[in-house]
Amino acid sequence: MRRKTVIPIVSAPPAAAPEVGLYEATKKIYPRSVQGLFARWRWAMVFLTQLVFYGMPWVEWGERQMVLFDLAARRFYIFGLVLYPQDLIYLSGLLVVSALALFLFTAVAGRLWCGYACPQTVYTEMFLWVEQRIEGNRSARIRLDAGALSVEKLGKKALKHSVWIAIALWTGFTFVGYFTPVRELGSALLQLQMGSWEVFWVFFYGFATYGNAGFMREQVCKYMCPYARFQSAMFDRDTLIVSYDPQRGEPRAPRRKTVDPRSAGLGDCIDCSLCVQVCPTGIDIREGLQYECIGCGLCVDACDSVMDKMGYAPRLIRYDTQNGMEAGWSRRQLWRRVLRPRVLVYTALLALLVAGLLASLVARTPLKVDVVRDRASLARIVEGGRLENVYRLQIMNATERTQHYRIAARGIEGLSVSPDEAIEVEPAQARWVAVRLQVPYGAAPAGSHTVHFDIREADGAAQVSEKAVFLVPR
Amino acid sequence: MSDFINNFWSSYVAVASLLSILGCVLLLWLTARKRVASDSDNTTGHVWDEDLRESNNPLPMWWVGMFVLTIVFGIGYLAVFPGLGSFKGTFDWSSRGEYEQDVAKATQALEPVYARYTPMSIEEAARDPQARAIGERLFMNSCAQCHGSDARGSKGFPNLTDADWLHGGTPDKIVESITHGRTGVMPPAAAMVGSPDDVKNVANYVLSLSGEPHDSLRAGLGKSKFTACAACHGIGGVGNAAMGAPRLNDRIWLHGYGEAAIVQIINEGKHSTMPAQDGRLTEAQIKLLASYVWGMSNPPAATP
């Protein structure tokens, strides 16, 4: 009897895993253009935001630009408001409101800001449109870039870059137009007499637009934008995210239109990879939610068009929540989960802040006064035996009319103000005046006394009260 | 002058800076050479704590390019500007030099503004609202610290809005005071006057000169002793602008009011200084300052 030889089964040595570096060359992304509901929304937002951005500086309000941030004079004109640097609190309020709005939108529907309103997205969209007009669709662009240098390629590239640079410079010009009156800037440009800082900022902002929207594109979102990194803190299982339905889609495989996927054991995904081709950040949404996903919904449009051609139900890729996807919730059920505590708290806070901000802007007194005690003299005795303190009052006229202000003071018996004539302050200007307060000697004991300056418009309602200190020497 | 107490610290800073840059280069070079296994799930194969696996999220090459540019910029910067210990940099730049250049530039830029007032006399400029506005700003920056923001002074610092002038109130005299400054010296005079009682008597005489409340008996006794003071303050306390000796026969009391204040000043003397503005301010600036000051004590006659 021969002994059985046992041939041991040795597993094949694993194929050596490919080695890669810690850095990689950027792979250029050629997003395919797509039509559909979300693509239309994106374009609507492009038009809306750019109409506001490019148009606003040209709108006049009375004798001036409607929105102007005059940094040199430190006056900020927004519609009928004249803001001083002292009004910084309104900017803080606005930033808090913006942040809270971002939290709210993100909690409800993910990265709406990224996908539809972020300047990075909007300008990339515009630049991509130009690229598409000149160089053709996705495959044409890939072919053009891969092809040898030719007159045609050179011409197309030159044309594309010229149009890009034109848009970028116009963007830079508009940006500066918010800080220097845009009409003056325009005529200075025509006469080639722009100031050096204005030239710098037009080119700097233009260069940033050209570089970011033309070249950096999704790299900004992936490597620079902090928001991409902390958005997950605002997500929960009820946040609407662009998601692929694996239960319905898998197993994915190409097939003929005539094949019935159920009997062939296939899911609805035909693995056409259109969702990947249209993605502006070049990710595959079928791998699940990734931080690179800017929530633009273009893959939804692409997939829907394919589902339509195949005769399948739409929304294999859709805006859905994690809970909704797992439990197969209907739209109604999804909407019910939108009104969850987190969203309600955000909404309430946001409404409260917006209301508070608007109310304080409406009730704002168009007059500001700073009181500075004279730094040199504490107190002095003047003729007539009266005790005098000196103050410098900065009176800021936040209206657009010349105003006359009367200064009064109260707090100590027999307090008098000199000079007591009305102070004239020009529109949107500030003026320093030296004001002397006098009390009869002995009217108050030695030490510091609180007094109040009351400054009011001679022929108006605006009135401001400012506390100051009156010193009586020993 | 070196910014460091000795050469050791200067070289320490220089060496530490250069080593840090070298460290950055080294780090970049080593990480760029490193290869990691890449499985299908994009992990490096490094597993620890049973199931924690390290993903490979490669940085883009342009980021490396930016890093290199930063290093190049850093080296270039240190070569050009001071930053390596006490090395001054090839541009020989200093913040003080830049400040002086800026001042020179600003002065030059302001020349046309002041040129408008060159043909004006100080009296004319005092009536020009724009000149007055410039003068006021100059006053706030250079004079208000002592004379007060309303120019009415305080104890020890003269009121500039009244008609009383220690050194003369003509435009020329004001320019002179601002340009070269003034020093007021009153020596301790008690020894010249006599006993403490005599001092008190002189103080009462001084009070009597301007009709302030005083002890007339003491004033009478003090009158003869005042001769020691009259050398500067003049007979009857009329003052002497040439010496800067104040008038004593008015009701303006620069260094304090009342017998005690006068006794103190006779005993201790007084030394006051107004610093010269020559070199700090330009001639044109001093002119506008003088016109502002002159204008305050010579207000335009009220038109009926």
Side-chain angles (χ1 to χ4, degrees), chain B residues 154-217:
Chain B
S154 63
K155 191 178 165 186
F157 301 103
N159 180 349
L160 303 178
T161 64
D162 59 14
D164 183 50
W165 293 94
L166 290 174
H167 301 276
T170 61
D172 287 350
K173 284 288 172 193
I174 297 174
V175 168
E176 195 182 299
S177 299
I178 299 171
T179 310
H180 303 298
R182 294 289 185 187
T183 309
V185 183
M186 152 140 179
M192 289 186 279
V193 172
S195 68
D197 217 39
D198 292 331
V199 170
K200 221 169 174 174
N201 294 341
V202 168
N204 274 282
Y205 175 68
V206 168
L207 282 171
S208 75
L209 288 176
S210 46
E212 302 280 7
H214 62 279
D215 182 332
S216 50
L217 187 70

Side-chain angles (χ1 to χ4, degrees), chain B residues 98-179:
Chain B
E98 183 169 298
Y99 165 75
E100 278 161 5
Q101 270 176 18
D102 282 355
V103 170
K105 219 196 277 176
T107 311
Q108 207 180 6
L110 283 175
E111 252 170 35
V113 176
Y114 287 106
R116 197 169 97 77
Y117 308 106
T118 317
M120 284 191 195
S121 72
I122 283 178
E123 289 90 339
E124 276 165 1
R127 306 284 171 252
D128 183 292
Q130 270 176 297
R132 218 162 47 229
I134 296 174
E136 182 182 5
R137 283 193 284 275
L138 288 169
F139 186 88
M140 292 314 299
N141 283 337
S142 300
C143 318
Q145 290 76 3
C146 294
H147 293 285
S149 43
D150 63 348
R152 284 166 191 254
S154 63
K155 191 178 165 186
F157 301 103
N159 180 349
L160 303 178
T161 64
D162 59 14
D164 183 50
W165 293 94
L166 290 174
H167 301 276
T170 61
D172 287 350
K173 284 288 172 193
I174 297 174
V175 168
E176 195 182 299
S177 299
I178 299 171
T179 310

Side-chain angles (χ1 to χ4, degrees), chain B residues 7 9 30-31 36 51 60 83 85 109 116 177 255 260-261 268 280 284 299:
Chain B
N7 277 336
W9 288 111
L30 287 175
T31 53
V36 289
D51 60 350
R116 197 169 97 77
S177 299
H255 297 293
E268 295 170 9
R280 266 196 77 236

Side-chain angles (χ1 to χ4, degrees), chain A residues 17-26 216 219 223-224 374 376-377 380 388 390-392 432 434 436, chain B residues 31-32 34-39 56 58-62 64 136 140 144-145 148-150 152-154:
Chain A
E19 295 218 314
V20 294
L22 293 174
Y23 307 105
E24 66 178 1
T26 309
M216 297 303 287
Q219 306 269 321
Y223 298 109
M224 300 176 194
D374 190 74
S377 56
R380 60 194 175 209
E388 185 176 86
V390 184
Y391 305 84
R392 295 258 296 161
W432 282 100
R436 300 187 297 280
Chain B
T31 53
K34 189 169 167 60
R35 314 293 294 174
V36 289
S38 157
D39 288 342
N56 179 27
L59 271 173
M61 275 315 278
W62 57 257
V64 178
E136 182 182 5
M140 292 314 299
Q145 290 76 3
S149 43
D150 63 348
R152 284 166 191 254
S154 63

